[in-house]
Amino acid sequence: MIRFICSILSLAMAFTVAAGGITAKAEETVKNTAKYVFLFIGDGMSYPQFQAASDYLGAIADDDYENALPSTDYDTREGAKLDGPVELSFMKFPVAGSAVTYDSCSFAPDSASTATSIATGNKTYSGMINVDESGAVSYETIAEKLHSQKGWKVGVVSSVNLNHATPAAFYAHQASRNNYYEIGEELVNSGFEYFAGGGLKKVTGPDNDKTSLYDLATEAGYKVTFTQADAEAVTAADEKVILIDEHLADSDAMDYDMDRAEDEWALKDYVAKGIEVLDNDTGFFMMCEGGKIDWACHANDAGATVTDTLAMADAVQVAVDFAAEHPDETLILVTGDHETGGLTIGFAGTDYDTYLDTLANQKISYAQFDEQYVANYKENGTTFEDAMKDVEELFGLKLTGEEGDRLVLTEYETERLRTAYDLIMSDYDPAEYTQEQGVLYGGYNPFSVTVTHILNNKSGVDFTSYSHTGLPVAVFADGAGAENFGGYYDNTDIFNKLATMLEVQ
């Protein structure tokens, strides 16, 4: 029945295209001169994510705003004037469009199908990578076309696993995004010159009985590094490289940017090294994914969402700096695959006010809080009051304090945290959650997710989901051929416009 409904939905969407709807391709009139193309994908990043990051920068930069007390009036703050948001690097691009993200069976699609649309111009079911709905027909990606038809070098960078759905959509063809080993084999066989970021999943297969993907890569001529020092030593002379971040965190992905040590490579450093490896006179294509934006939004961690969005903006700036030296030959695109979490700037409990500077009190992501603190509470018999000392140190939230301090918990907020804490100290089973508990905690640790929920709400932001939503995403463009990316269109047209401009079949 589900497949039948998805098929009907696919037919309806196809009719919309045929009728001249938003997916109809506009004629390309600008002759392309780009031979260096950067495609940045903020996984889970739509308008709320980058606007929240921009607003956050504006809030912490404005002394009057930061120190103001809430007023009694609904539309102002006593004695304070907000100067406005601070634009991220890509928000300054001269061309901005919007792309619709639905796939063959959902208006709230997943990363595999949406990245397939961007990489190949085709819709498919959620969970499928570069194959049609039957799983029998494979689609060639823009990266593969540029590599084989034009001799361009290709790089794939991600802050999450390199065989995760979004990076995989530029080199792999699988009926299931969970075929991590097979996706890894396709990575090795792609011949692409540069891979960098998080570690590979299922390196020796789901049953740990296969040859290590890293060994296969070495046999295929890749230089594989696992330390930052070795990554720093890589040059274009190495020809084909796979750089695995030395400081892998949850699920062998890179650290959330707020957890990253100052001397630890960020996403921007892998983009910079990629330019060094890929730069040549023929051309190159680099896809860079800010994957942990999505993970933070799934967990409803607004603080980590903001900082990882800022980390991607820093990575975009590296491409902008490169483009300044090649102004007539470089195209930079920044988009998202879908929105995650239903993030909103505004919360019922703060009326028309926001206090985004409050997020600056968060010093650690939910993931590290879970791993380094919460995981030990039950074993150590930690009291709620002692756990709240950690919460105050790491998130700023206080059980008591001076009147007017926004970080002091209300009776209602304290009770929410105490209820969640009592749950994690019990033998609870998320599979047996009540409906209320499922809505409150999702699949995350009840205590840590309640901490981030309360900090989010005190900041004036909120989430509606632990999953993806159907919002359109922005498409920012700068450089050679950027004018093609204005307007409102389907995400498949990102591929269509690129393929037409770059003259690949």
Side-chain angles (χ1 to χ4, degrees), residues 105-144:
C105 63
S106 181
F107 288 115
D110 91 321
S111 294
S113 60
T114 51
T116 293
S117 293
I118 294 170
T120 73
N122 292 281
K123 299 288 186 182
T124 193
Y125 289 135
S126 290
M128 290 182 147
I129 297 176
N130 298 331
V131 293
D132 72 350
E133 290 86 347
S134 71
V137 178
S138 295
Y139 303 128
E140 190 176 23
T141 74
I142 187 66
E144 291 173 314

Side-chain angles (χ1 to χ4, degrees), residues 388 392 396-403 405 407-410 414:
M388 287 306 300
E392 180 173 352
L397 300 174
K398 311 169 186 178
L399 288 174
T400 61
E402 296 180 4
E403 184 178 355
D405 186 345
L407 292 168
V408 176
L409 296 167
T410 65
T414 301

Side-chain angles (χ1 to χ4, degrees), residues 66-387:
E66 183 175 355
N67 297 319
L69 293 174
S71 74
T72 55
D73 195 358
Y74 76 93
D75 63 353
T76 186
R77 302 176 75 183
E78 184 104 23
K81 178 179 180 297
L82 179 61
D83 291 333
V86 175
E87 289 184 321
L88 310 187
S89 56
F90 52 86
M91 294 171 72
K92 302 174 185 177
F93 284 7
V95 177
S98 295
V100 182
T101 63
Y102 70 86
D103 68 9
S104 294
C105 63
S106 181
F107 288 115
D110 91 321
S111 294
S113 60
T114 51
T116 293
S117 293
I118 294 170
T120 73
N122 292 281
K123 299 288 186 182
T124 193
Y125 289 135
S126 290
M128 290 182 147
I129 297 176
N130 298 331
V131 293
D132 72 350
E133 290 86 347
S134 71
V137 178
S138 295
Y139 303 128
E140 190 176 23
T141 74
I142 187 66
E144 291 173 314
K145 290 176 183 292
L146 291 169
H147 198 249
S148 63
Q149 296 179 28
K150 298 180 75 76
W152 283 20
K153 293 185 177 182
V154 174
V156 175
V157 180
S158 177
S159 59
V160 299
N161 313 95
L162 288 171
N163 53 351
H164 222 259
T166 301
F170 289 84
Y171 62 80
H173 315 80
Q174 295 290 327
S176 173
R177 59 179 290 172
N178 296 323
N179 295 340
Y180 292 113
Y181 189 82
E182 292 78 6
I183 291 170
E185 289 179 308
E186 290 198 75
L187 180 153
V188 170
N189 294 328
S190 71
F192 290 176
E193 287 75 13
Y194 185 72
F195 291 94
L200 295 171
K201 291 176 70 71
K202 303 295 182 182
V203 176
T204 55
D207 298 320
N208 295 317
D209 59 351
K210 296 184 180 296
T211 303
S212 166
L213 291 170
Y214 295 127
D215 290 340
L216 293 178
T218 301
E219 292 171 8
Y222 281 93
K223 180 175 183 176
V224 184
T225 73
F226 298 95
T227 69
Q228 191 166 304
D230 286 344
E232 290 170 350
V234 164
T235 68
D238 291 306
E239 296 186 350
K240 295 196 304 182
V241 297
I242 300 174
L243 311 184
I244 305 301
D245 189 80
E246 180 177 354
H247 309 281
L248 296 178
D250 47 324
S251 300
D252 286 338
M254 291 173 61
D255 270 329
Y256 282 99
D257 203 66
M258 67 163 46
D259 299 328
R260 182 178 57 83
E262 189 174 348
D263 60 351
E264 182 181 331
W265 267 21
L267 196 62
K268 66 179 181 180
D269 297 297
Y270 288 108
V271 172
K273 180 58 70 172
I275 292 172
E276 182 182 346
V277 171
L278 299 175
D279 195 8
N280 69 96
D281 291 334
T282 302
F284 68 74
F285 173 89
M286 185 191 302
M287 191 289 297
C288 174
E289 179 201 23
K292 298 202 81 169
I293 300 170
D294 173 74
W295 291 19
C297 288
H298 274 294
N300 291 182
D301 185 340
T305 298
V306 164
T307 52
D308 263 73
T309 302
L310 295 177
M312 200 187 78
D314 289 342
V316 174
Q317 185 59 47
V318 174
V320 171
D321 294 341
F322 173 85
E325 300 177 2
H326 308 273
D328 299 323
E329 300 175 312
T330 306
L331 171 65
I332 307 172
L333 299 176
V334 180
T335 189
D337 50 357
H338 52 74
E339 197 275 341
T340 300
L343 176 63
T344 60
I345 303 171
F347 171 61
T350 57
D351 296 320
Y352 287 84
D353 281 323
T354 58
Y355 306 90
L356 290 167
D357 49 307
T358 303
L359 292 174
N361 291 281
Q362 183 174 341
K363 299 179 177 64
I364 192 172
S365 72
Y366 79 93
Q368 284 211 358
F369 183 53
D370 277 351
E371 179 182 334
Q372 298 178 12
Y373 294 86
V374 181
N376 301 316
Y377 288 158
K378 185 175 181 180
E379 181 180 348
N380 297 338
T382 306
T383 66
F384 174 71
E385 287 72 20
D386 282 341

Side-chain angles (χ1 to χ4, degrees), residues 401-471:
E402 296 180 4
E403 184 178 355
D405 186 345
R406 290 198 55 77
L407 292 168
V408 176
L409 296 167
T410 65
E411 183 178 344
Y412 164 68
E413 291 164 342
T414 301
E415 187 58 32
R416 285 178 61 191
L417 279 170
R418 191 180 293 276
T419 299
Y421 194 77
D422 289 344
L423 182 59
I424 69 165
M425 298 297 279
S426 70
D427 295 324
Y428 75 99
D429 182 358
E432 298 178 359
Y433 273 170
T434 65
Q435 182 178 6
E436 180 184 18
Q437 289 172 324
V439 171
L440 287 173
Y441 311 130
Y444 295 90
N445 181 280
F447 186 60
S448 60
V449 80
T450 303
V451 168
T452 56
H453 278 167
I454 291 174
L455 185 64
N456 298 344
N457 294 163
K458 284 185 174 295
S459 305
V461 299
D462 199 14
F463 290 86
T464 66
S465 176
Y466 297 101
S467 301
H468 300 173
T469 71
L471 287 180

